Amino acid sequence: MAQSHLSMSRQWSEGHSASILCVSASSGSEGLLASGSENGEVAIWSQDGLVVGRLTLPGEEDITSVVFSPVAPSHLYVSHGDAVSVLDPRNLKSPALDFHGAGEEEINALALNETGSALAVADDSGAVRVLELPGGKVCRTLRRHTNICSSVAFRPHRPNNLVSVGLDMQVMLWGLQKTRPLWNLNLQDMAEDDDLQQRPGQLFNPPLAHCVSVASCGNILGCAAEDGRVYLMRIGSGSKLEQQGAVKAHSQGASQAHFMSFLSHPYWLITGGNDSHVALWDLSKHPVVAPEGKTQALTPQHRKGKSKAKRKDQSQNKSKALQKTEAEKDEAEGGEEAGAGMEKTGPKLSISHGDKVNWLCPAVLKGKPSVIVADQSSSLTVYPLFQP
């Protein structure tokens, strides 16, 4: 059901002077959060939204990704330019370590495996480099993407399995023992099957892949794409691609998709897009997730939007989060593609945020499931995910 969360949203400010590009939540006992913005700014937040540390890195390059180590509370990995810096979030000062040239070109995303022993770096050249930790030595360079590699994620329970996606519309699963992917999936091939049904005059953005997430079970992937869909994949035994499908999630490009491990099952997905909406989906009955299901048919939707993924336009005026009954409209739209495999069509929650979404970070804040939204502004917005 759509719920009105506007009155319950909170603003976190004072941490940045520029547009916030990335956010991460620590799994440590202190429950700290980190955010990075344009101009090299890093901020550390308490669960109350208070700034407990702030640092501007030398060179003032945009901070494109921040990731807490799952095993070392004193390690926060921060990408800027082609470098990764290691900061101590509890005592934010100049970097303890710098991995210069960690990326071949500007880094777009970082990912750590569960054991904290490997750091994956995705960059503009399309390469994915894997660094051994703690030393930062490059142990693998994976080159198969023919355009910008935008996002990367390790599979839970399989620290040597890595998923990468890019603006070449490819999703790739890697086993780190080899330098070629175990498989790759072209999202355009999936989309083109459905574009045959499009009405004359409809415009379609190609499914450039912006963000990939893996559910905590390790077998379900979600990939947010420029055509507004979130593409879903199920990995079977032997790491084979077993099932694929999609959800029509946004009316413009979908920029963010994150599975959450702290709700009632592992198949809750939060998504955000250039349509300024944030949506929460229960995918537990989706045909790709439910083993007996079949791949759903996709229904093309009219959409238009940006064609370049690296959003640098700061020109939008911020009309602060207005939650309307658009949730019901979204439910109806989502229902066109949700198909019979889902108990109820459309998102369980839809938030009209009022600005394009740069990043989403699901987190449990003071015991309450929440999502932290970074947009074109210098503040963060926190929404509860369920009514208390």
Side-chain angles (χ1 to χ4, degrees), residues 174-211:
W174 305 83
L176 294 187
Q177 296 82 0
K178 299 180 178 179
T179 55
R180 65 178 184 274
L182 298 171
W183 53 258
N184 67 290
L185 178 66
N186 187 332
L187 298 183
Q188 191 169 30
D189 290 345
M190 287 179 69
E192 280 176 354
D193 290 343
D194 308 295
D195 288 352
L196 298 174
Q197 308 165 29
Q198 75 184 72
R199 295 188 296 274
Q202 277 187 298
L203 296 175
F204 283 85
N205 289 325
L208 312 176
H210 293 316
C211 178

PDB file of all heavy atoms in Angstrom, residues 174-211:
ATOM      1  N   TRP A 174      31.295 -12.580 -12.641  1.00  0.00           N
ATOM      2  CA  TRP A 174      32.697 -12.987 -12.695  1.00  0.00           C
ATOM      3  C   TRP A 174      33.009 -13.954 -11.561  1.00  0.00           C
ATOM      4  O   TRP A 174      32.525 -13.803 -10.444  1.00  0.00           O
ATOM      5  CB  TRP A 174      33.611 -11.776 -12.523  1.00  0.00           C
ATOM      6  CG  TRP A 174      33.388 -10.647 -13.475  1.00  0.00           C
ATOM      7  CD1 TRP A 174      32.455  -9.645 -13.367  1.00  0.00           C
ATOM      8  CD2 TRP A 174      34.107 -10.389 -14.678  1.00  0.00           C
ATOM      9  NE1 TRP A 174      32.561  -8.782 -14.418  1.00  0.00           N
ATOM     10  CE2 TRP A 174      33.560  -9.210 -15.243  1.00  0.00           C
ATOM     11  CE3 TRP A 174      35.156 -11.041 -15.342  1.00  0.00           C
ATOM     12  CZ2 TRP A 174      34.028  -8.668 -16.436  1.00  0.00           C
ATOM     13  CZ3 TRP A 174      35.630 -10.503 -16.525  1.00  0.00           C
ATOM     14  CH2 TRP A 174      35.072  -9.326 -17.061  1.00  0.00           C
ATOM     15  N   GLY A 175      33.866 -14.932 -11.859  1.00  0.00           N
ATOM     16  CA  GLY A 175      34.545 -15.709 -10.833  1.00  0.00           C
ATOM     17  C   GLY A 175      35.979 -15.193 -10.815  1.00  0.00           C
ATOM     18  O   GLY A 175      36.638 -15.164 -11.856  1.00  0.00           O
ATOM     19  N   LEU A 176      36.452 -14.755  -9.668  1.00  0.00           N
ATOM     20  CA  LEU A 176      37.725 -14.032  -9.642  1.00  0.00           C
ATOM     21  C   LEU A 176      38.934 -14.911  -9.958  1.00  0.00           C
ATOM     22  O   LEU A 176      40.045 -14.408 -10.095  1.00  0.00           O
ATOM     23  CB  LEU A 176      37.911 -13.350  -8.284  1.00  0.00           C
ATOM     24  CG  LEU A 176      36.891 -12.232  -7.995  1.00  0.00           C
ATOM     25  CD1 LEU A 176      37.251 -11.511  -6.718  1.00  0.00           C
ATOM     26  CD2 LEU A 176      36.805 -11.255  -9.163  1.00  0.00           C
ATOM     27  N   GLN A 177      38.708 -16.215 -10.091  1.00  0.00           N
ATOM     28  CA  GLN A 177      39.820 -17.070 -10.506  1.00  0.00           C
ATOM     29  C   GLN A 177      40.153 -16.843 -11.982  1.00  0.00           C
ATOM     30  O   GLN A 177      41.245 -17.178 -12.436  1.00  0.00           O
ATOM     31  CB  GLN A 177      39.486 -18.555 -10.290  1.00  0.00           C
ATOM     32  CG  GLN A 177      39.286 -18.945  -8.822  1.00  0.00           C
ATOM     33  CD  GLN A 177      37.882 -18.623  -8.322  1.00  0.00           C
ATOM     34  OE1 GLN A 177      37.052 -18.103  -9.062  1.00  0.00           O
ATOM     35  NE2 GLN A 177      37.633 -18.927  -7.054  1.00  0.00           N
ATOM     36  N   LYS A 178      39.206 -16.288 -12.728  1.00  0.00           N
ATOM     37  CA  LYS A 178      39.397 -16.109 -14.172  1.00  0.00           C
ATOM     38  C   LYS A 178      39.205 -14.642 -14.543  1.00  0.00           C
ATOM     39  O   LYS A 178      38.588 -13.877 -13.807  1.00  0.00           O
ATOM     40  CB  LYS A 178      38.400 -16.978 -14.955  1.00  0.00           C
ATOM     41  CG  LYS A 178      38.562 -18.465 -14.677  1.00  0.00           C
ATOM     42  CD  LYS A 178      37.555 -19.281 -15.470  1.00  0.00           C
ATOM     43  CE  LYS A 178      37.778 -20.778 -15.195  1.00  0.00           C
ATOM     44  NZ  LYS A 178      36.794 -21.613 -15.925  1.00  0.00           N
ATOM     45  N   THR A 179      39.719 -14.281 -15.720  1.00  0.00           N
ATOM     46  CA  THR A 179      39.586 -12.900 -16.165  1.00  0.00           C
ATOM     47  C   THR A 179      38.540 -12.762 -17.268  1.00  0.00           C
ATOM     48  O   THR A 179      38.477 -11.750 -17.946  1.00  0.00           O
ATOM     49  CB  THR A 179      40.935 -12.355 -16.661  1.00  0.00           C
ATOM     50  OG1 THR A 179      41.442 -13.236 -17.668  1.00  0.00           O
ATOM     51  CG2 THR A 179      41.936 -12.252 -15.529  1.00  0.00           C
ATOM     52  N   ARG A 180      37.735 -13.788 -17.441  1.00  0.00           N
ATOM     53  CA  ARG A 180      36.589 -13.651 -18.350  1.00  0.00           C
ATOM     54  C   ARG A 180      35.327 -13.966 -17.557  1.00  0.00           C
ATOM     55  O   ARG A 180      35.353 -14.769 -16.611  1.00  0.00           O
ATOM     56  CB  ARG A 180      36.723 -14.585 -19.558  1.00  0.00           C
ATOM     57  CG  ARG A 180      36.693 -16.057 -19.227  1.00  0.00           C
ATOM     58  CD  ARG A 180      36.777 -16.894 -20.500  1.00  0.00           C
ATOM     59  NE  ARG A 180      36.668 -18.305 -20.225  1.00  0.00           N
ATOM     60  CZ  ARG A 180      37.675 -19.099 -19.895  1.00  0.00           C
ATOM     61  NH1 ARG A 180      38.900 -18.596 -19.805  1.00  0.00           N
ATOM     62  NH2 ARG A 180      37.474 -20.379 -19.663  1.00  0.00           N
ATOM     63  N   PRO A 181      34.208 -13.341 -17.924  1.00  0.00           N
ATOM     64  CA  PRO A 181      32.994 -13.537 -17.126  1.00  0.00           C
ATOM     65  C   PRO A 181      32.440 -14.946 -17.250  1.00  0.00           C
ATOM     66  O   PRO A 181      32.604 -15.606 -18.288  1.00  0.00           O
ATOM     67  CB  PRO A 181      32.024 -12.497 -17.697  1.00  0.00           C
ATOM     68  CG  PRO A 181      32.551 -12.141 -19.040  1.00  0.00           C
ATOM     69  CD  PRO A 181      34.024 -12.381 -19.015  1.00  0.00           C
ATOM     70  N   LEU A 182      31.782 -15.401 -16.197  1.00  0.00           N
ATOM     71  CA  LEU A 182      31.100 -16.695 -16.236  1.00  0.00           C
ATOM     72  C   LEU A 182      29.922 -16.617 -17.195  1.00  0.00           C
ATOM     73  O   LEU A 182      29.604 -17.573 -17.881  1.00  0.00           O
ATOM     74  CB  LEU A 182      30.613 -17.066 -14.834  1.00  0.00           C
ATOM     75  CG  LEU A 182      31.711 -17.235 -13.774  1.00  0.00           C
ATOM     76  CD1 LEU A 182      31.096 -17.381 -12.393  1.00  0.00           C
ATOM     77  CD2 LEU A 182      32.583 -18.437 -14.103  1.00  0.00           C
ATOM     78  N   TRP A 183      29.264 -15.445 -17.225  1.00  0.00           N
ATOM     79  CA  TRP A 183      28.239 -15.162 -18.231  1.00  0.00           C
ATOM     80  C   TRP A 183      28.018 -13.668 -18.306  1.00  0.00           C
ATOM     81  O   TRP A 183      28.407 -12.926 -17.403  1.00  0.00           O
ATOM     82  CB  TRP A 183      26.918 -15.894 -17.960  1.00  0.00           C
ATOM     83  CG  TRP A 183      26.301 -15.731 -16.595  1.00  0.00           C
ATOM     84  CD1 TRP A 183      26.343 -16.636 -15.572  1.00  0.00           C
ATOM     85  CD2 TRP A 183      25.530 -14.614 -16.103  1.00  0.00           C
ATOM     86  NE1 TRP A 183      25.663 -16.156 -14.488  1.00  0.00           N
ATOM     87  CE2 TRP A 183      25.149 -14.925 -14.776  1.00  0.00           C
ATOM     88  CE3 TRP A 183      25.123 -13.403 -16.641  1.00  0.00           C
ATOM     89  CZ2 TRP A 183      24.393 -14.057 -13.984  1.00  0.00           C
ATOM     90  CZ3 TRP A 183      24.360 -12.525 -15.873  1.00  0.00           C
ATOM     91  CH2 TRP A 183      24.009 -12.863 -14.555  1.00  0.00           C
ATOM     92  N   ASN A 184      27.447 -13.240 -19.415  1.00  0.00           N
ATOM     93  CA  ASN A 184      27.022 -11.852 -19.501  1.00  0.00           C
ATOM     94  C   ASN A 184      25.662 -11.793 -20.179  1.00  0.00           C
ATOM     95  O   ASN A 184      25.316 -12.634 -21.009  1.00  0.00           O
ATOM     96  CB  ASN A 184      28.052 -10.979 -20.224  1.00  0.00           C
ATOM     97  CG  ASN A 184      28.195 -11.332 -21.676  1.00  0.00           C
ATOM     98  OD1 ASN A 184      28.722 -12.385 -22.014  1.00  0.00           O
ATOM     99  ND2 ASN A 184      27.728 -10.450 -22.556  1.00  0.00           N
ATOM    100  N   LEU A 185      24.883 -10.802 -19.797  1.00  0.00           N
ATOM    101  CA  LEU A 185      23.528 -10.624 -20.301  1.00  0.00           C
ATOM    102  C   LEU A 185      23.416  -9.222 -20.881  1.00  0.00           C
ATOM    103  O   LEU A 185      23.777  -8.243 -20.222  1.00  0.00           O
ATOM    104  CB  LEU A 185      22.524 -10.797 -19.157  1.00  0.00           C
ATOM    105  CG  LEU A 185      21.048 -10.587 -19.496  1.00  0.00           C
ATOM    106  CD1 LEU A 185      20.559 -11.658 -20.464  1.00  0.00           C
ATOM    107  CD2 LEU A 185      20.204 -10.591 -18.224  1.00  0.00           C
ATOM    108  N   ASN A 186      22.924  -9.120 -22.113  1.00  0.00           N
ATOM    109  CA  ASN A 186      22.725  -7.836 -22.762  1.00  0.00           C
ATOM    110  C   ASN A 186      21.286  -7.382 -22.496  1.00  0.00           C
ATOM    111  O   ASN A 186      20.342  -7.994 -22.977  1.00  0.00           O
ATOM    112  CB  ASN A 186      22.990  -7.973 -24.268  1.00  0.00           C
ATOM    113  CG  ASN A 186      22.967  -6.627 -24.972  1.00  0.00           C
ATOM    114  OD1 ASN A 186      22.299  -5.692 -24.536  1.00  0.00           O
ATOM    115  ND2 ASN A 186      23.701  -6.529 -26.065  1.00  0.00           N
ATOM    116  N   LEU A 187      21.148  -6.299 -21.728  1.00  0.00           N
ATOM    117  CA  LEU A 187      19.805  -5.827 -21.385  1.00  0.00           C
ATOM    118  C   LEU A 187      19.048  -5.330 -22.607  1.00  0.00           C
ATOM    119  O   LEU A 187      17.814  -5.392 -22.647  1.00  0.00           O
ATOM    120  CB  LEU A 187      19.894  -4.700 -20.345  1.00  0.00           C
ATOM    121  CG  LEU A 187      20.522  -5.072 -18.998  1.00  0.00           C
ATOM    122  CD1 LEU A 187      20.461  -3.876 -18.050  1.00  0.00           C
ATOM    123  CD2 LEU A 187      19.839  -6.283 -18.369  1.00  0.00           C
ATOM    124  N   GLN A 188      19.776  -4.869 -23.607  1.00  0.00           N
ATOM    125  CA  GLN A 188      19.099  -4.388 -24.807  1.00  0.00           C
ATOM    126  C   GLN A 188      18.367  -5.526 -25.514  1.00  0.00           C
ATOM    127  O   GLN A 188      17.278  -5.342 -26.061  1.00  0.00           O
ATOM    128  CB  GLN A 188      20.098  -3.726 -25.754  1.00  0.00           C
ATOM    129  CG  GLN A 188      19.433  -2.965 -26.888  1.00  0.00           C
ATOM    130  CD  GLN A 188      20.413  -2.113 -27.660  1.00  0.00           C
ATOM    131  OE1 GLN A 188      21.591  -2.456 -27.764  1.00  0.00           O
ATOM    132  NE2 GLN A 188      19.946  -1.002 -28.195  1.00  0.00           N
ATOM    133  N   ASP A 189      18.972  -6.717 -25.489  1.00  0.00           N
ATOM    134  CA  ASP A 189      18.306  -7.872 -26.098  1.00  0.00           C
ATOM    135  C   ASP A 189      16.985  -8.152 -25.392  1.00  0.00           C
ATOM    136  O   ASP A 189      15.978  -8.466 -26.029  1.00  0.00           O
ATOM    137  CB  ASP A 189      19.199  -9.114 -26.025  1.00  0.00           C
ATOM    138  CG  ASP A 189      20.413  -9.000 -26.945  1.00  0.00           C
ATOM    139  OD1 ASP A 189      20.407  -8.121 -27.824  1.00  0.00           O
ATOM    140  OD2 ASP A 189      21.360  -9.792 -26.763  1.00  0.00           O
ATOM    141  N   MET A 190      16.989  -8.045 -24.050  1.00  0.00           N
ATOM    142  CA  MET A 190      15.758  -8.260 -23.294  1.00  0.00           C
ATOM    143  C   MET A 190      14.724  -7.195 -23.644  1.00  0.00           C
ATOM    144  O   MET A 190      13.555  -7.489 -23.850  1.00  0.00           O
ATOM    145  CB  MET A 190      16.042  -8.208 -21.792  1.00  0.00           C
ATOM    146  CG  MET A 190      16.784  -9.406 -21.244  1.00  0.00           C
ATOM    147  SD  MET A 190      17.078  -9.212 -19.468  1.00  0.00           S
ATOM    148  CE  MET A 190      15.410  -9.357 -18.812  1.00  0.00           C
ATOM    149  N   ALA A 191      15.166  -5.940 -23.724  1.00  0.00           N
ATOM    150  CA  ALA A 191      14.244  -4.837 -23.969  1.00  0.00           C
ATOM    151  C   ALA A 191      13.687  -4.878 -25.388  1.00  0.00           C
ATOM    152  O   ALA A 191      12.509  -4.600 -25.616  1.00  0.00           O
ATOM    153  CB  ALA A 191      14.943  -3.510 -23.712  1.00  0.00           C
ATOM    154  N   GLU A 192      14.539  -5.248 -26.365  1.00  0.00           N
ATOM    155  CA  GLU A 192      14.108  -5.225 -27.764  1.00  0.00           C
ATOM    156  C   GLU A 192      12.978  -6.214 -28.027  1.00  0.00           C
ATOM    157  O   GLU A 192      12.103  -5.975 -28.862  1.00  0.00           O
ATOM    158  CB  GLU A 192      15.286  -5.519 -28.694  1.00  0.00           C
ATOM    159  CG  GLU A 192      16.159  -4.300 -28.922  1.00  0.00           C
ATOM    160  CD  GLU A 192      17.379  -4.615 -29.769  1.00  0.00           C
ATOM    161  OE1 GLU A 192      17.597  -5.806 -30.080  1.00  0.00           O
ATOM    162  OE2 GLU A 192      18.105  -3.678 -30.106  1.00  0.00           O
ATOM    163  N   ASP A 193      12.983  -7.315 -27.325  1.00  0.00           N
ATOM    164  CA  ASP A 193      11.897  -8.286 -27.476  1.00  0.00           C
ATOM    165  C   ASP A 193      10.552  -7.632 -27.218  1.00  0.00           C
ATOM    166  O   ASP A 193       9.550  -7.955 -27.843  1.00  0.00           O
ATOM    167  CB  ASP A 193      12.080  -9.457 -26.503  1.00  0.00           C
ATOM    168  CG  ASP A 193      13.267 -10.321 -26.892  1.00  0.00           C
ATOM    169  OD1 ASP A 193      13.715 -10.211 -28.047  1.00  0.00           O
ATOM    170  OD2 ASP A 193      13.744 -11.076 -26.039  1.00  0.00           O
ATOM    171  N   ASP A 194      10.550  -6.684 -26.278  1.00  0.00           N
ATOM    172  CA  ASP A 194       9.303  -6.054 -25.891  1.00  0.00           C
ATOM    173  C   ASP A 194       9.013  -4.801 -26.691  1.00  0.00           C
ATOM    174  O   ASP A 194       7.870  -4.414 -26.854  1.00  0.00           O
ATOM    175  CB  ASP A 194       9.358  -5.707 -24.411  1.00  0.00           C
ATOM    176  CG  ASP A 194       9.757  -6.925 -23.612  1.00  0.00           C
ATOM    177  OD1 ASP A 194       8.986  -7.885 -23.599  1.00  0.00           O
ATOM    178  OD2 ASP A 194      10.862  -6.924 -23.069  1.00  0.00           O
ATOM    179  N   ASP A 195      10.058  -4.177 -27.225  1.00  0.00           N
ATOM    180  CA  ASP A 195       9.848  -2.953 -27.982  1.00  0.00           C
ATOM    181  C   ASP A 195       9.098  -3.218 -29.280  1.00  0.00           C
ATOM    182  O   ASP A 195       8.585  -2.291 -29.900  1.00  0.00           O
ATOM    183  CB  ASP A 195      11.198  -2.274 -28.277  1.00  0.00           C
ATOM    184  CG  ASP A 195      11.788  -1.652 -27.018  1.00  0.00           C
ATOM    185  OD1 ASP A 195      11.071  -1.629 -26.007  1.00  0.00           O
ATOM    186  OD2 ASP A 195      12.937  -1.193 -27.048  1.00  0.00           O
ATOM    187  N   LEU A 196       9.033  -4.480 -29.694  1.00  0.00           N
ATOM    188  CA  LEU A 196       8.248  -4.819 -30.875  1.00  0.00           C
ATOM    189  C   LEU A 196       6.775  -4.475 -30.660  1.00  0.00           C
ATOM    190  O   LEU A 196       6.030  -4.255 -31.609  1.00  0.00           O
ATOM    191  CB  LEU A 196       8.386  -6.317 -31.188  1.00  0.00           C
ATOM    192  CG  LEU A 196       9.795  -6.803 -31.526  1.00  0.00           C
ATOM    193  CD1 LEU A 196       9.802  -8.313 -31.656  1.00  0.00           C
ATOM    194  CD2 LEU A 196      10.294  -6.151 -32.816  1.00  0.00           C
ATOM    195  N   GLN A 197       6.371  -4.427 -29.395  1.00  0.00           N
ATOM    196  CA  GLN A 197       4.967  -4.169 -29.089  1.00  0.00           C
ATOM    197  C   GLN A 197       4.661  -2.680 -28.923  1.00  0.00           C
ATOM    198  O   GLN A 197       3.551  -2.302 -28.625  1.00  0.00           O
ATOM    199  CB  GLN A 197       4.590  -4.866 -27.779  1.00  0.00           C
ATOM    200  CG  GLN A 197       4.937  -6.336 -27.742  1.00  0.00           C
ATOM    201  CD  GLN A 197       4.880  -6.857 -26.313  1.00  0.00           C
ATOM    202  OE1 GLN A 197       4.127  -6.358 -25.495  1.00  0.00           O
ATOM    203  NE2 GLN A 197       5.666  -7.858 -26.008  1.00  0.00           N
ATOM    204  N   GLN A 198       5.688  -1.834 -29.081  1.00  0.00           N
ATOM    205  CA  GLN A 198       5.482  -0.430 -28.753  1.00  0.00           C
ATOM    206  C   GLN A 198       4.493   0.245 -29.708  1.00  0.00           C
ATOM    207  O   GLN A 198       4.347  -0.117 -30.856  1.00  0.00           O
ATOM    208  CB  GLN A 198       6.809   0.319 -28.785  1.00  0.00           C
ATOM    209  CG  GLN A 198       7.354   0.605 -30.182  1.00  0.00           C
ATOM    210  CD  GLN A 198       8.710   1.264 -30.102  1.00  0.00           C
ATOM    211  OE1 GLN A 198       9.697   0.622 -29.765  1.00  0.00           O
ATOM    212  NE2 GLN A 198       8.770   2.528 -30.408  1.00  0.00           N
ATOM    213  N   ARG A 199       3.825   1.245 -29.173  1.00  0.00           N
ATOM    214  CA  ARG A 199       2.903   2.029 -29.980  1.00  0.00           C
ATOM    215  C   ARG A 199       3.696   3.000 -30.842  1.00  0.00           C
ATOM    216  O   ARG A 199       4.762   3.464 -30.434  1.00  0.00           O
ATOM    217  CB  ARG A 199       1.939   2.807 -29.070  1.00  0.00           C
ATOM    218  CG  ARG A 199       1.027   1.907 -28.258  1.00  0.00           C
ATOM    219  CD  ARG A 199      -0.023   2.728 -27.533  1.00  0.00           C
ATOM    220  NE  ARG A 199       0.566   3.633 -26.546  1.00  0.00           N
ATOM    221  CZ  ARG A 199       0.858   3.274 -25.303  1.00  0.00           C
ATOM    222  NH1 ARG A 199       0.644   2.034 -24.906  1.00  0.00           N
ATOM    223  NH2 ARG A 199       1.352   4.135 -24.459  1.00  0.00           N
ATOM    224  N   PRO A 200       3.220   3.340 -32.039  1.00  0.00           N
ATOM    225  CA  PRO A 200       3.927   4.294 -32.906  1.00  0.00           C
ATOM    226  C   PRO A 200       4.152   5.608 -32.177  1.00  0.00           C
ATOM    227  O   PRO A 200       3.286   6.093 -31.463  1.00  0.00           O
ATOM    228  CB  PRO A 200       2.968   4.478 -34.086  1.00  0.00           C
ATOM    229  CG  PRO A 200       2.121   3.248 -34.093  1.00  0.00           C
ATOM    230  CD  PRO A 200       1.987   2.834 -32.668  1.00  0.00           C
ATOM    231  N   GLY A 201       5.354   6.156 -32.360  1.00  0.00           N
ATOM    232  CA  GLY A 201       5.661   7.450 -31.769  1.00  0.00           C
ATOM    233  C   GLY A 201       6.216   7.383 -30.365  1.00  0.00           C
ATOM    234  O   GLY A 201       6.616   8.400 -29.805  1.00  0.00           O
ATOM    235  N   GLN A 202       6.256   6.193 -29.772  1.00  0.00           N
ATOM    236  CA  GLN A 202       6.821   6.101 -28.426  1.00  0.00           C
ATOM    237  C   GLN A 202       8.340   6.259 -28.471  1.00  0.00           C
ATOM    238  O   GLN A 202       8.993   5.800 -29.398  1.00  0.00           O
ATOM    239  CB  GLN A 202       6.486   4.748 -27.803  1.00  0.00           C
ATOM    240  CG  GLN A 202       5.096   4.717 -27.175  1.00  0.00           C
ATOM    241  CD  GLN A 202       4.884   3.432 -26.425  1.00  0.00           C
ATOM    242  OE1 GLN A 202       4.919   2.370 -27.020  1.00  0.00           O
ATOM    243  NE2 GLN A 202       4.656   3.515 -25.142  1.00  0.00           N
ATOM    244  N   LEU A 203       8.866   6.904 -27.445  1.00  0.00           N
ATOM    245  CA  LEU A 203      10.312   7.089 -27.337  1.00  0.00           C
ATOM    246  C   LEU A 203      10.834   6.164 -26.246  1.00  0.00           C
ATOM    247  O   LEU A 203      10.217   6.015 -25.198  1.00  0.00           O
ATOM    248  CB  LEU A 203      10.633   8.538 -26.969  1.00  0.00           C
ATOM    249  CG  LEU A 203      10.233   9.587 -28.007  1.00  0.00           C
ATOM    250  CD1 LEU A 203      10.509  10.978 -27.457  1.00  0.00           C
ATOM    251  CD2 LEU A 203      10.988   9.368 -29.307  1.00  0.00           C
ATOM    252  N   PHE A 204      11.998   5.583 -26.507  1.00  0.00           N
ATOM    253  CA  PHE A 204      12.572   4.669 -25.524  1.00  0.00           C
ATOM    254  C   PHE A 204      14.026   5.025 -25.257  1.00  0.00           C
ATOM    255  O   PHE A 204      14.783   5.286 -26.175  1.00  0.00           O
ATOM    256  CB  PHE A 204      12.488   3.220 -26.008  1.00  0.00           C
ATOM    257  CG  PHE A 204      11.115   2.648 -25.875  1.00  0.00           C
ATOM    258  CD1 PHE A 204      10.175   2.856 -26.858  1.00  0.00           C
ATOM    259  CD2 PHE A 204      10.755   1.945 -24.741  1.00  0.00           C
ATOM    260  CE1 PHE A 204       8.894   2.361 -26.724  1.00  0.00           C
ATOM    261  CE2 PHE A 204       9.470   1.443 -24.601  1.00  0.00           C
ATOM    262  CZ  PHE A 204       8.542   1.650 -25.591  1.00  0.00           C
ATOM    263  N   ASN A 205      14.374   5.057 -23.985  1.00  0.00           N
ATOM    264  CA  ASN A 205      15.776   5.178 -23.627  1.00  0.00           C
ATOM    265  C   ASN A 205      16.381   3.786 -23.611  1.00  0.00           C
ATOM    266  O   ASN A 205      15.741   2.835 -23.178  1.00  0.00           O
ATOM    267  CB  ASN A 205      15.918   5.809 -22.243  1.00  0.00           C
ATOM    268  CG  ASN A 205      15.562   7.281 -22.260  1.00  0.00           C
ATOM    269  OD1 ASN A 205      15.828   7.973 -23.232  1.00  0.00           O
ATOM    270  ND2 ASN A 205      14.946   7.749 -21.191  1.00  0.00           N
ATOM    271  N   PRO A 206      17.632   3.664 -24.055  1.00  0.00           N
ATOM    272  CA  PRO A 206      18.267   2.342 -23.984  1.00  0.00           C
ATOM    273  C   PRO A 206      18.497   1.945 -22.532  1.00  0.00           C
ATOM    274  O   PRO A 206      18.645   2.817 -21.668  1.00  0.00           O
ATOM    275  CB  PRO A 206      19.596   2.561 -24.714  1.00  0.00           C
ATOM    276  CG  PRO A 206      19.866   4.020 -24.602  1.00  0.00           C
ATOM    277  CD  PRO A 206      18.516   4.692 -24.604  1.00  0.00           C
ATOM    278  N   PRO A 207      18.527   0.651 -22.241  1.00  0.00           N
ATOM    279  CA  PRO A 207      18.684   0.201 -20.853  1.00  0.00           C
ATOM    280  C   PRO A 207      20.140   0.251 -20.372  1.00  0.00           C
ATOM    281  O   PRO A 207      20.742  -0.767 -20.033  1.00  0.00           O
ATOM    282  CB  PRO A 207      18.149  -1.235 -20.899  1.00  0.00           C
ATOM    283  CG  PRO A 207      18.421  -1.687 -22.292  1.00  0.00           C
ATOM    284  CD  PRO A 207      18.258  -0.475 -23.164  1.00  0.00           C
ATOM    285  N   LEU A 208      20.709   1.463 -20.377  1.00  0.00           N
ATOM    286  CA  LEU A 208      22.037   1.643 -19.791  1.00  0.00           C
ATOM    287  C   LEU A 208      21.946   1.234 -18.325  1.00  0.00           C
ATOM    288  O   LEU A 208      21.032   1.656 -17.615  1.00  0.00           O
ATOM    289  CB  LEU A 208      22.478   3.100 -19.895  1.00  0.00           C
ATOM    290  CG  LEU A 208      22.314   3.794 -21.250  1.00  0.00           C
ATOM    291  CD1 LEU A 208      22.703   5.269 -21.154  1.00  0.00           C
ATOM    292  CD2 LEU A 208      23.134   3.098 -22.324  1.00  0.00           C
ATOM    293  N   ALA A 209      22.885   0.433 -17.872  1.00  0.00           N
ATOM    294  CA  ALA A 209      22.807  -0.116 -16.509  1.00  0.00           C
ATOM    295  C   ALA A 209      23.536   0.806 -15.537  1.00  0.00           C
ATOM    296  O   ALA A 209      24.716   1.092 -15.705  1.00  0.00           O
ATOM    297  CB  ALA A 209      23.417  -1.514 -16.478  1.00  0.00           C
ATOM    298  N   HIS A 210      22.801   1.274 -14.513  1.00  0.00           N
ATOM    299  CA  HIS A 210      23.348   2.265 -13.592  1.00  0.00           C
ATOM    300  C   HIS A 210      23.762   1.709 -12.237  1.00  0.00           C
ATOM    301  O   HIS A 210      24.697   2.210 -11.628  1.00  0.00           O
ATOM    302  CB  HIS A 210      22.327   3.374 -13.350  1.00  0.00           C
ATOM    303  CG  HIS A 210      22.045   4.207 -14.550  1.00  0.00           C
ATOM    304  ND1 HIS A 210      23.035   4.674 -15.375  1.00  0.00           N
ATOM    305  CD2 HIS A 210      20.876   4.672 -15.059  1.00  0.00           C
ATOM    306  CE1 HIS A 210      22.497   5.402 -16.348  1.00  0.00           C
ATOM    307  NE2 HIS A 210      21.181   5.401 -16.187  1.00  0.00           N
ATOM    308  N   CYS A 211      23.035   0.720 -11.735  1.00  0.00           N
ATOM    309  CA  CYS A 211      23.272   0.281 -10.354  1.00  0.00           C
ATOM    310  C   CYS A 211      22.867  -1.173 -10.223  1.00  0.00           C
ATOM    311  O   CYS A 211      21.782  -1.563 -10.675  1.00  0.00           O
ATOM    312  CB  CYS A 211      22.438   1.143  -9.403  1.00  0.00           C
ATOM    313  SG  CYS A 211      22.577   0.691  -7.658  1.00  0.00           S
TER     314      CYS A 211
END
